[in-house]
Amino acid sequence: MLKILRNPLYIYVLGFTLVFIVYNFGWSNIYPELTFSIKLFFTITFILFILSGQIIDKLGLIKKTFSNTKLSLIRKSTIVLLTLYLIEFIVEQDIPLLSQLNGTKGVNYREFGIPLLHGLLISFNSFLIAHSFNSFKSKDDKRYLKYNLILYIPALLFLSRSILMLGGLTSLFIYLQYINKLTIKNLFKLITAVAIALYFFGVIGNLRSGGAYIYEQSKVSDKFTSSSIPKEYYWTYLYVASPLANFQNTINLKKVNSYNFKEFVFFEAMPQMISKKFDKILDLHHRDLVRIVPWLTVGTAYAESYSYLNWYGCYLLVLYHLLVYLIIIIFLVPKTSSYHITTNSILSVIILLSVFGNILTVTGIFFQLAFCIVFALFENKKFVIKR
């Protein structure tokens, strides 16, 4: 089991299999029936990722390589990051967390930060969280853990759930790389922790949006309301299953009258920091998915690609993503690198989150991989200033 969880390419199969299982619970009456074409598509992608994962295993490219990163590098990187965050707080003249606690109108957390710089800081922050935790597990030195915990503080101050979520998920995959075996006791603890977390996720969802409204809008089924399952878990069902529902809904209702390969490449392969800045300049138009309801917004990694090239777009995106993953694993961050486990764990998170959307285009996530590659490239280099 651990061998499967340590290989990022197998995470794709596990993630989407879980989505299909949850989808078949049938707790909502607005989710469309899955067609043969979508089942065939995922069957083919499962085969591609399993075969690629087996090649990676046969070549021995996934290895528990201990990090040799010096504490001084983590310290200096943290200082640089916190200094740049401080500049942002000074420019904004606001700390979103304090504004929320004081009940005053401050900068919305979605608009906080200096454009472009903030996206880079978020990605560097998430990368440092991952690698400091990797170094802590490698060296069992609590000084690394101290910096790891410090790196969560900015996310709390400007209310970045993405950093908290990505940091937690990546740390989980790093932890799985280091344990020798997954005991029944550890598995039970993990399942219990997840069940509790998902329950409170539902509690927060009800407090923020109102349970009755959500149940009505999503047409909750009698099958669920009459069951003894705590109603808080309905939120998990909605969030896990709705991307697949939106993908199917897009296939059912989207009429792709004209193909546009240029727009497909621009919006589906380029980081959002590029596509959102230059689309109007280049006269390119984003094509959206067809949502079952407006407030369930995501459609797996593939719904929008379907809008540009029909099924060709979906299959091309699978091949592009798989090629990127293989190039990174095989060539860019080798198994001898101190950043090997960090990179594989970040890849595992990216692939897992593809059940929600095209995560490789998200700036804050895309640049995590870029930082892994750059740091791995220069980790053994020494720079001497000649006089």
Side-chain angles (χ1 to χ4, degrees), residues 260-299:
N260 195 311
F261 184 74
K262 184 190 295 185
E263 289 179 344
F264 166 79
V265 171
F266 187 75
F267 289 105
E268 295 301 303
M270 295 288 182
Q272 290 177 357
M273 65 177 294
I274 296 175
S275 62
K276 287 186 175 182
K277 296 292 183 183
F278 299 102
D279 55 340
K280 293 180 181 178
I281 297 173
L282 298 173
D283 193 30
L284 298 174
H285 304 283
H286 176 258
R287 299 187 186 185
D288 208 353
L289 68 161
V290 183
R291 300 172 179 85
I292 49 176
V293 288
W295 43 272
L296 292 174
T297 60
V298 293

mmCIF file of all heavy atoms in Angstrom, residues 260-299:
data_model
loop_
_atom_site.group_PDB
_atom_site.id
_atom_site.type_symbol
_atom_site.label_atom_id
_atom_site.label_comp_id
_atom_site.label_asym_id
_atom_site.label_seq_id
_atom_site.Cartn_x
_atom_site.Cartn_y
_atom_site.Cartn_z
ATOM 1 N N ASN A 260 -10.510 25.621 -31.044
ATOM 2 C CA ASN A 260 -9.494 26.671 -30.990
ATOM 3 C C ASN A 260 -8.286 26.154 -30.217
ATOM 4 O O ASN A 260 -8.251 26.187 -28.985
ATOM 5 C CB ASN A 260 -10.045 27.938 -30.340
ATOM 6 C CG ASN A 260 -9.150 29.143 -30.594
ATOM 7 O OD1 ASN A 260 -7.940 29.092 -30.412
ATOM 8 N ND2 ASN A 260 -9.757 30.243 -31.029
ATOM 9 N N PHE A 261 -7.307 25.640 -30.965
ATOM 10 C CA PHE A 261 -6.123 25.048 -30.345
ATOM 11 C C PHE A 261 -5.272 26.099 -29.636
ATOM 12 O O PHE A 261 -4.690 25.845 -28.584
ATOM 13 C CB PHE A 261 -5.294 24.329 -31.414
ATOM 14 C CG PHE A 261 -4.096 23.614 -30.858
ATOM 15 C CD1 PHE A 261 -4.234 22.430 -30.137
ATOM 16 C CD2 PHE A 261 -2.816 24.129 -31.043
ATOM 17 C CE1 PHE A 261 -3.126 21.770 -29.615
ATOM 18 C CE2 PHE A 261 -1.707 23.481 -30.529
ATOM 19 C CZ PHE A 261 -1.865 22.300 -29.810
ATOM 20 N N LYS A 262 -5.190 27.298 -30.226
ATOM 21 C CA LYS A 262 -4.381 28.365 -29.628
ATOM 22 C C LYS A 262 -4.916 28.730 -28.245
ATOM 23 O O LYS A 262 -4.149 28.860 -27.283
ATOM 24 C CB LYS A 262 -4.386 29.593 -30.538
ATOM 25 C CG LYS A 262 -3.485 30.723 -30.035
ATOM 26 C CD LYS A 262 -3.698 32.008 -30.825
ATOM 27 C CE LYS A 262 -3.282 31.834 -32.268
ATOM 28 N NZ LYS A 262 -3.387 33.129 -33.021
ATOM 29 N N GLU A 263 -6.229 28.881 -28.121
ATOM 30 C CA GLU A 263 -6.818 29.221 -26.831
ATOM 31 C C GLU A 263 -6.696 28.058 -25.850
ATOM 32 O O GLU A 263 -6.498 28.267 -24.652
ATOM 33 C CB GLU A 263 -8.294 29.619 -27.008
ATOM 34 C CG GLU A 263 -8.461 30.967 -27.696
ATOM 35 C CD GLU A 263 -9.912 31.358 -27.888
ATOM 36 O OE1 GLU A 263 -10.798 30.476 -27.782
ATOM 37 O OE2 GLU A 263 -10.179 32.537 -28.166
ATOM 38 N N PHE A 264 -6.799 26.848 -26.355
ATOM 39 C CA PHE A 264 -6.613 25.670 -25.501
ATOM 40 C C PHE A 264 -5.234 25.689 -24.868
ATOM 41 O O PHE A 264 -5.089 25.520 -23.652
ATOM 42 C CB PHE A 264 -6.806 24.392 -26.323
ATOM 43 C CG PHE A 264 -6.323 23.147 -25.631
ATOM 44 C CD1 PHE A 264 -7.084 22.540 -24.643
ATOM 45 C CD2 PHE A 264 -5.089 22.582 -25.961
ATOM 46 C CE1 PHE A 264 -6.637 21.393 -23.999
ATOM 47 C CE2 PHE A 264 -4.633 21.440 -25.321
ATOM 48 C CZ PHE A 264 -5.403 20.848 -24.337
ATOM 49 N N VAL A 265 -4.196 25.905 -25.660
ATOM 50 C CA VAL A 265 -2.822 25.931 -25.148
ATOM 51 C C VAL A 265 -2.645 27.096 -24.175
ATOM 52 O O VAL A 265 -2.054 26.944 -23.103
ATOM 53 C CB VAL A 265 -1.806 26.041 -26.303
ATOM 54 C CG1 VAL A 265 -0.403 26.286 -25.767
ATOM 55 C CG2 VAL A 265 -1.844 24.787 -27.156
ATOM 56 N N PHE A 266 -3.174 28.252 -24.526
ATOM 57 C CA PHE A 266 -2.987 29.453 -23.719
ATOM 58 C C PHE A 266 -3.640 29.333 -22.347
ATOM 59 O O PHE A 266 -3.029 29.670 -21.332
ATOM 60 C CB PHE A 266 -3.561 30.658 -24.465
ATOM 61 C CG PHE A 266 -3.268 31.982 -23.810
ATOM 62 C CD1 PHE A 266 -2.006 32.544 -23.890
ATOM 63 C CD2 PHE A 266 -4.255 32.654 -23.115
ATOM 64 C CE1 PHE A 266 -1.731 33.769 -23.292
ATOM 65 C CE2 PHE A 266 -3.989 33.864 -22.508
ATOM 66 C CZ PHE A 266 -2.714 34.432 -22.595
ATOM 67 N N PHE A 267 -4.870 28.840 -22.304
ATOM 68 C CA PHE A 267 -5.599 28.798 -21.038
ATOM 69 C C PHE A 267 -5.417 27.491 -20.261
ATOM 70 O O PHE A 267 -5.572 27.480 -19.045
ATOM 71 C CB PHE A 267 -7.094 29.038 -21.282
ATOM 72 C CG PHE A 267 -7.422 30.446 -21.680
ATOM 73 C CD1 PHE A 267 -7.733 30.753 -22.993
ATOM 74 C CD2 PHE A 267 -7.404 31.466 -20.748
ATOM 75 C CE1 PHE A 267 -8.036 32.054 -23.375
ATOM 76 C CE2 PHE A 267 -7.699 32.778 -21.115
ATOM 77 C CZ PHE A 267 -8.018 33.074 -22.431
ATOM 78 N N GLU A 268 -5.097 26.403 -20.952
ATOM 79 C CA GLU A 268 -5.008 25.115 -20.273
ATOM 80 C C GLU A 268 -3.578 24.662 -19.985
ATOM 81 O O GLU A 268 -3.373 23.749 -19.184
ATOM 82 C CB GLU A 268 -5.708 24.037 -21.116
ATOM 83 C CG GLU A 268 -7.205 24.249 -21.267
ATOM 84 C CD GLU A 268 -7.943 24.280 -19.946
ATOM 85 O OE1 GLU A 268 -7.846 23.306 -19.177
ATOM 86 O OE2 GLU A 268 -8.608 25.299 -19.668
ATOM 87 N N ALA A 269 -2.590 25.294 -20.629
ATOM 88 C CA ALA A 269 -1.203 24.890 -20.409
ATOM 89 C C ALA A 269 -0.347 25.998 -19.796
ATOM 90 O O ALA A 269 0.699 25.717 -19.228
ATOM 91 C CB ALA A 269 -0.580 24.424 -21.723
ATOM 92 N N MET A 270 -0.788 27.241 -19.903
ATOM 93 C CA MET A 270 -0.024 28.365 -19.366
ATOM 94 C C MET A 270 -0.432 28.671 -17.930
ATOM 95 O O MET A 270 -1.606 28.519 -17.571
ATOM 96 C CB MET A 270 -0.260 29.619 -20.227
ATOM 97 C CG MET A 270 0.262 29.509 -21.634
ATOM 98 S SD MET A 270 2.062 29.571 -21.687
ATOM 99 C CE MET A 270 2.329 29.481 -23.457
ATOM 100 N N PRO A 271 0.525 29.138 -17.089
ATOM 101 C CA PRO A 271 0.157 29.576 -15.735
ATOM 102 C C PRO A 271 -0.851 30.725 -15.792
ATOM 103 O O PRO A 271 -0.818 31.544 -16.723
ATOM 104 C CB PRO A 271 1.491 30.046 -15.147
ATOM 105 C CG PRO A 271 2.535 29.374 -15.958
ATOM 106 C CD PRO A 271 1.962 29.229 -17.339
ATOM 107 N N GLN A 272 -1.735 30.803 -14.825
ATOM 108 C CA GLN A 272 -2.768 31.835 -14.808
ATOM 109 C C GLN A 272 -2.190 33.241 -14.739
ATOM 110 O O GLN A 272 -2.831 34.197 -15.173
ATOM 111 C CB GLN A 272 -3.724 31.598 -13.638
ATOM 112 C CG GLN A 272 -4.611 30.380 -13.824
ATOM 113 C CD GLN A 272 -5.505 30.112 -12.635
ATOM 114 O OE1 GLN A 272 -5.436 30.802 -11.613
ATOM 115 N NE2 GLN A 272 -6.338 29.098 -12.735
ATOM 116 N N MET A 273 -0.986 33.381 -14.186
ATOM 117 C CA MET A 273 -0.371 34.707 -14.121
ATOM 118 C C MET A 273 -0.098 35.252 -15.523
ATOM 119 O O MET A 273 0.014 36.465 -15.710
ATOM 120 C CB MET A 273 0.932 34.665 -13.315
ATOM 121 C CG MET A 273 2.031 33.841 -13.927
ATOM 122 S SD MET A 273 3.574 33.906 -12.976
ATOM 123 C CE MET A 273 4.027 35.616 -13.196
ATOM 124 N N ILE A 274 -0.021 34.376 -16.503
ATOM 125 C CA ILE A 274 0.142 34.789 -17.893
ATOM 126 C C ILE A 274 -1.212 34.906 -18.581
ATOM 127 O O ILE A 274 -1.526 35.924 -19.194
ATOM 128 C CB ILE A 274 1.037 33.795 -18.662
ATOM 129 C CG1 ILE A 274 2.462 33.800 -18.083
ATOM 130 C CG2 ILE A 274 1.073 34.132 -20.160
ATOM 131 C CD1 ILE A 274 3.385 32.776 -18.687
ATOM 132 N N SER A 275 -2.030 33.856 -18.461
ATOM 133 C CA SER A 275 -3.309 33.825 -19.180
ATOM 134 C C SER A 275 -4.277 34.917 -18.724
ATOM 135 O O SER A 275 -5.043 35.451 -19.525
ATOM 136 C CB SER A 275 -3.965 32.447 -19.033
ATOM 137 O OG SER A 275 -4.250 32.154 -17.671
ATOM 138 N N LYS A 276 -4.220 35.274 -17.440
ATOM 139 C CA LYS A 276 -5.138 36.298 -16.928
ATOM 140 C C LYS A 276 -4.653 37.719 -17.215
ATOM 141 O O LYS A 276 -5.432 38.671 -17.095
ATOM 142 C CB LYS A 276 -5.347 36.107 -15.424
ATOM 143 C CG LYS A 276 -6.210 34.906 -15.069
ATOM 144 C CD LYS A 276 -6.507 34.858 -13.589
ATOM 145 C CE LYS A 276 -7.470 33.719 -13.275
ATOM 146 N NZ LYS A 276 -7.816 33.662 -11.843
ATOM 147 N N LYS A 277 -3.378 37.864 -17.560
ATOM 148 C CA LYS A 277 -2.825 39.194 -17.818
ATOM 149 C C LYS A 277 -2.822 39.555 -19.302
ATOM 150 O O LYS A 277 -2.955 40.722 -19.665
ATOM 151 C CB LYS A 277 -1.383 39.272 -17.281
ATOM 152 C CG LYS A 277 -1.254 39.113 -15.774
ATOM 153 C CD LYS A 277 -1.845 40.299 -15.026
ATOM 154 C CE LYS A 277 -1.624 40.130 -13.524
ATOM 155 N NZ LYS A 277 -2.247 41.250 -12.762
ATOM 156 N N PHE A 278 -2.660 38.552 -20.159
ATOM 157 C CA PHE A 278 -2.429 38.835 -21.572
ATOM 158 C C PHE A 278 -3.537 38.342 -22.499
ATOM 159 O O PHE A 278 -3.394 38.436 -23.718
ATOM 160 C CB PHE A 278 -1.087 38.229 -22.000
ATOM 161 C CG PHE A 278 0.094 38.785 -21.248
ATOM 162 C CD1 PHE A 278 0.679 38.055 -20.225
ATOM 163 C CD2 PHE A 278 0.599 40.039 -21.551
ATOM 164 C CE1 PHE A 278 1.758 38.558 -19.520
ATOM 165 C CE2 PHE A 278 1.679 40.551 -20.855
ATOM 166 C CZ PHE A 278 2.265 39.818 -19.830
ATOM 167 N N ASP A 279 -4.613 37.798 -21.946
ATOM 168 C CA ASP A 279 -5.672 37.268 -22.809
ATOM 169 C C ASP A 279 -6.313 38.357 -23.676
ATOM 170 O O ASP A 279 -6.531 38.165 -24.880
ATOM 171 C CB ASP A 279 -6.732 36.527 -21.992
ATOM 172 C CG ASP A 279 -7.325 37.383 -20.884
ATOM 173 O OD1 ASP A 279 -6.696 38.382 -20.489
ATOM 174 O OD2 ASP A 279 -8.422 37.052 -20.395
ATOM 175 N N LYS A 280 -6.589 39.527 -23.089
ATOM 176 C CA LYS A 280 -7.226 40.609 -23.850
ATOM 177 C C LYS A 280 -6.259 41.222 -24.851
ATOM 178 O O LYS A 280 -6.641 41.593 -25.959
ATOM 179 C CB LYS A 280 -7.757 41.664 -22.896
ATOM 180 C CG LYS A 280 -8.921 41.171 -22.033
ATOM 181 C CD LYS A 280 -9.418 42.255 -21.098
ATOM 182 C CE LYS A 280 -10.568 41.725 -20.244
ATOM 183 N NZ LYS A 280 -11.054 42.752 -19.281
ATOM 184 N N ILE A 281 -4.998 41.316 -24.444
ATOM 185 C CA ILE A 281 -3.986 41.868 -25.349
ATOM 186 C C ILE A 281 -3.850 41.002 -26.597
ATOM 187 O O ILE A 281 -3.707 41.508 -27.722
ATOM 188 C CB ILE A 281 -2.624 41.978 -24.628
ATOM 189 C CG1 ILE A 281 -2.725 42.954 -23.454
ATOM 190 C CG2 ILE A 281 -1.520 42.405 -25.596
ATOM 191 C CD1 ILE A 281 -1.484 43.000 -22.595
ATOM 192 N N LEU A 282 -3.909 39.690 -26.406
ATOM 193 C CA LEU A 282 -3.759 38.748 -27.523
ATOM 194 C C LEU A 282 -5.095 38.393 -28.175
ATOM 195 O O LEU A 282 -5.135 37.581 -29.098
ATOM 196 C CB LEU A 282 -3.074 37.465 -27.019
ATOM 197 C CG LEU A 282 -1.654 37.652 -26.466
ATOM 198 C CD1 LEU A 282 -1.150 36.347 -25.844
ATOM 199 C CD2 LEU A 282 -0.709 38.114 -27.567
ATOM 200 N N ASP A 283 -6.173 39.011 -27.673
ATOM 201 C CA ASP A 283 -7.522 38.765 -28.198
ATOM 202 C C ASP A 283 -7.895 37.279 -28.144
ATOM 203 O O ASP A 283 -8.393 36.694 -29.100
ATOM 204 C CB ASP A 283 -7.638 39.275 -29.641
ATOM 205 C CG ASP A 283 -9.094 39.326 -30.115
ATOM 206 O OD1 ASP A 283 -9.990 39.527 -29.257
ATOM 207 O OD2 ASP A 283 -9.340 39.147 -31.321
ATOM 208 N N LEU A 284 -7.620 36.677 -26.990
ATOM 209 C CA LEU A 284 -7.978 35.284 -26.757
ATOM 210 C C LEU A 284 -9.085 35.222 -25.714
ATOM 211 O O LEU A 284 -9.116 36.030 -24.776
ATOM 212 C CB LEU A 284 -6.749 34.495 -26.275
ATOM 213 C CG LEU A 284 -5.584 34.425 -27.264
ATOM 214 C CD1 LEU A 284 -4.377 33.755 -26.623
ATOM 215 C CD2 LEU A 284 -5.989 33.665 -28.521
ATOM 216 N N HIS A 285 -9.989 34.271 -25.859
ATOM 217 C CA HIS A 285 -11.192 34.235 -25.025
ATOM 218 C C HIS A 285 -11.283 32.917 -24.247
ATOM 219 O O HIS A 285 -11.195 31.833 -24.826
ATOM 220 C CB HIS A 285 -12.441 34.421 -25.891
ATOM 221 C CG HIS A 285 -12.399 35.683 -26.715
ATOM 222 N ND1 HIS A 285 -12.645 36.924 -26.181
ATOM 223 C CD2 HIS A 285 -12.108 35.874 -28.031
ATOM 224 C CE1 HIS A 285 -12.523 37.840 -27.126
ATOM 225 N NE2 HIS A 285 -12.208 37.226 -28.271
ATOM 226 N N HIS A 286 -11.446 33.068 -22.960
ATOM 227 C CA HIS A 286 -11.581 31.907 -22.085
ATOM 228 C C HIS A 286 -12.955 31.271 -22.257
ATOM 229 O O HIS A 286 -13.974 31.968 -22.310
ATOM 230 C CB HIS A 286 -11.392 32.341 -20.622
ATOM 231 C CG HIS A 286 -11.612 31.246 -19.636
ATOM 232 N ND1 HIS A 286 -12.777 31.122 -18.893
ATOM 233 C CD2 HIS A 286 -10.829 30.200 -19.275
ATOM 234 C CE1 HIS A 286 -12.683 30.062 -18.114
ATOM 235 N NE2 HIS A 286 -11.514 29.497 -18.319
ATOM 236 N N ARG A 287 -12.977 29.961 -22.374
ATOM 237 C CA ARG A 287 -14.240 29.223 -22.483
ATOM 238 C C ARG A 287 -14.503 28.485 -21.180
ATOM 239 O O ARG A 287 -13.644 27.758 -20.692
ATOM 240 C CB ARG A 287 -14.191 28.231 -23.649
ATOM 241 C CG ARG A 287 -13.974 28.892 -25.004
ATOM 242 C CD ARG A 287 -14.109 27.887 -26.143
ATOM 243 N NE ARG A 287 -13.777 28.476 -27.433
ATOM 244 C CZ ARG A 287 -13.902 27.840 -28.600
ATOM 245 N NH1 ARG A 287 -14.353 26.586 -28.627
ATOM 246 N NH2 ARG A 287 -13.578 28.442 -29.737
ATOM 247 N N ASP A 288 -15.675 28.672 -20.655
ATOM 248 C CA ASP A 288 -15.995 28.131 -19.334
ATOM 249 C C ASP A 288 -16.718 26.795 -19.444
ATOM 250 O O ASP A 288 -17.217 26.412 -20.506
ATOM 251 C CB ASP A 288 -16.871 29.130 -18.572
ATOM 252 C CG ASP A 288 -16.705 29.019 -17.071
ATOM 253 O OD1 ASP A 288 -16.018 28.077 -16.619
ATOM 254 O OD2 ASP A 288 -17.254 29.862 -16.354
ATOM 255 N N LEU A 289 -16.783 26.095 -18.294
ATOM 256 C CA LEU A 289 -17.562 24.875 -18.203
ATOM 257 C C LEU A 289 -19.030 25.224 -17.964
ATOM 258 O O LEU A 289 -19.367 26.391 -17.738
ATOM 259 C CB LEU A 289 -17.034 24.003 -17.060
ATOM 260 C CG LEU A 289 -17.236 24.525 -15.621
ATOM 261 C CD1 LEU A 289 -17.111 23.379 -14.623
ATOM 262 C CD2 LEU A 289 -16.233 25.599 -15.264
ATOM 263 N N VAL A 290 -19.893 24.219 -17.984
ATOM 264 C CA VAL A 290 -21.313 24.429 -17.713
ATOM 265 C C VAL A 290 -21.621 23.848 -16.341
ATOM 266 O O VAL A 290 -21.588 22.624 -16.151
ATOM 267 C CB VAL A 290 -22.206 23.754 -18.786
ATOM 268 C CG1 VAL A 290 -23.673 24.058 -18.502
ATOM 269 C CG2 VAL A 290 -21.816 24.227 -20.179
ATOM 270 N N ARG A 291 -21.904 24.717 -15.382
ATOM 271 C CA ARG A 291 -22.110 24.287 -13.998
ATOM 272 C C ARG A 291 -23.537 23.812 -13.770
ATOM 273 O O ARG A 291 -24.476 24.343 -14.354
ATOM 274 C CB ARG A 291 -21.793 25.431 -13.035
ATOM 275 C CG ARG A 291 -20.361 25.930 -13.135
ATOM 276 C CD ARG A 291 -20.161 27.200 -12.300
ATOM 277 N NE ARG A 291 -18.786 27.661 -12.375
ATOM 278 C CZ ARG A 291 -18.302 28.437 -13.338
ATOM 279 N NH1 ARG A 291 -19.114 28.823 -14.326
ATOM 280 N NH2 ARG A 291 -17.044 28.810 -13.332
ATOM 281 N N ILE A 292 -23.677 22.842 -12.858
ATOM 282 C CA ILE A 292 -25.026 22.375 -12.520
ATOM 283 C C ILE A 292 -25.752 23.414 -11.658
ATOM 284 O O ILE A 292 -26.966 23.579 -11.757
ATOM 285 C CB ILE A 292 -24.989 21.005 -11.810
ATOM 286 C CG1 ILE A 292 -23.973 21.013 -10.662
ATOM 287 C CG2 ILE A 292 -24.680 19.893 -12.792
ATOM 288 C CD1 ILE A 292 -23.954 19.739 -9.854
ATOM 289 N N VAL A 293 -25.001 24.108 -10.818
ATOM 290 C CA VAL A 293 -25.494 25.280 -10.081
ATOM 291 C C VAL A 293 -24.340 26.280 -10.019
ATOM 292 O O VAL A 293 -23.170 25.876 -10.008
ATOM 293 C CB VAL A 293 -25.973 24.922 -8.645
ATOM 294 C CG1 VAL A 293 -27.276 24.153 -8.672
ATOM 295 C CG2 VAL A 293 -24.905 24.148 -7.886
ATOM 296 N N PRO A 294 -24.605 27.588 -9.947
ATOM 297 C CA PRO A 294 -23.533 28.588 -10.028
ATOM 298 C C PRO A 294 -22.476 28.485 -8.935
ATOM 299 O O PRO A 294 -21.317 28.821 -9.164
ATOM 300 C CB PRO A 294 -24.307 29.918 -9.914
ATOM 301 C CG PRO A 294 -25.694 29.596 -10.366
ATOM 302 C CD PRO A 294 -25.943 28.193 -9.925
ATOM 303 N N TRP A 295 -22.853 28.000 -7.752
ATOM 304 C CA TRP A 295 -21.917 28.023 -6.621
ATOM 305 C C TRP A 295 -21.057 26.766 -6.519
ATOM 306 O O TRP A 295 -20.186 26.691 -5.649
ATOM 307 C CB TRP A 295 -22.656 28.262 -5.300
ATOM 308 C CG TRP A 295 -23.930 27.484 -5.140
ATOM 309 C CD1 TRP A 295 -25.177 27.843 -5.535
ATOM 310 C CD2 TRP A 295 -24.067 26.191 -4.540
ATOM 311 N NE1 TRP A 295 -26.100 26.868 -5.234
ATOM 312 C CE2 TRP A 295 -25.441 25.841 -4.615
ATOM 313 C CE3 TRP A 295 -23.178 25.297 -3.940
ATOM 314 C CZ2 TRP A 295 -25.927 24.638 -4.116
ATOM 315 C CZ3 TRP A 295 -23.659 24.097 -3.451
ATOM 316 C CH2 TRP A 295 -25.029 23.780 -3.540
ATOM 317 N N LEU A 296 -21.267 25.801 -7.385
ATOM 318 C CA LEU A 296 -20.340 24.670 -7.496
ATOM 319 C C LEU A 296 -19.537 24.907 -8.769
ATOM 320 O O LEU A 296 -20.004 24.652 -9.873
ATOM 321 C CB LEU A 296 -21.105 23.342 -7.545
ATOM 322 C CG LEU A 296 -21.831 22.943 -6.248
ATOM 323 C CD1 LEU A 296 -22.671 21.692 -6.459
ATOM 324 C CD2 LEU A 296 -20.830 22.724 -5.114
ATOM 325 N N THR A 297 -18.322 25.399 -8.612
ATOM 326 C CA THR A 297 -17.629 26.060 -9.720
ATOM 327 C C THR A 297 -16.613 25.219 -10.486
ATOM 328 O O THR A 297 -16.211 25.602 -11.581
ATOM 329 C CB THR A 297 -16.891 27.305 -9.191
ATOM 330 O OG1 THR A 297 -15.946 26.891 -8.189
ATOM 331 C CG2 THR A 297 -17.871 28.299 -8.580
ATOM 332 N N VAL A 298 -16.168 24.098 -9.931
ATOM 333 C CA VAL A 298 -15.071 23.369 -10.573
ATOM 334 C C VAL A 298 -15.578 22.140 -11.324
ATOM 335 O O VAL A 298 -16.664 21.619 -11.048
ATOM 336 C CB VAL A 298 -14.001 22.948 -9.539
ATOM 337 C CG1 VAL A 298 -13.300 24.178 -8.979
ATOM 338 C CG2 VAL A 298 -14.617 22.142 -8.402
ATOM 339 N N GLY A 299 -14.750 21.672 -12.279
ATOM 340 C CA GLY A 299 -15.191 20.566 -13.126
ATOM 341 C C GLY A 299 -14.090 19.588 -13.475
ATOM 342 O O GLY A 299 -13.971 19.191 -14.640
#
